[in-house]
Amino acid sequence: MLENLDRIAHSLDAIESAARGVAMRFPEASQELYTALMEIRNAIGLVAQEVVRIEQELHASSGNGQS
């Protein structure tokens, strides 16, 4: 799951690079593009944190079941 999120983040890097080009041509759109990209990055970060938390819970509960 985290590997997929990492691939999404890399794709977002490519989108961000393309967005810089668009922002140079259309400066009025640059703030909106930046805001949208940061919201996506934040969402990916939150999902990654939740995945890690769930994986830790699963490992902890499976470890407790073996005792």
Side-chain angles (χ1 to χ4, degrees), residues 20-40:
R20 281 191 201 105
V22 171
M24 286 182 179
R25 289 185 181 170
F26 305 100
E28 66 279 359
S30 63
Q31 185 60 42
E32 291 173 8
L33 282 169
Y34 176 79
T35 299
L37 289 168
M38 290 305 104
E39 288 177 6
I40 292 168

Side-chain angles (χ1 to χ4, degrees), residues 55-67:
E55 286 181 344
Q56 289 173 343
E57 285 182 8
L58 288 173
H59 290 296
S61 66
S62 67
N64 290 336
Q66 294 176 355
S67 297

Side-chain angles (χ1 to χ4, degrees), residues 1-10 44 47-49 51:
M1 177 65 111
L2 287 177
E3 295 84 17
N4 290 334
L5 292 172
D6 191 45
R7 290 195 342 228
I8 291 169
H10 286 297
I44 290 170
V47 170
Q49 287 176 354
V51 167

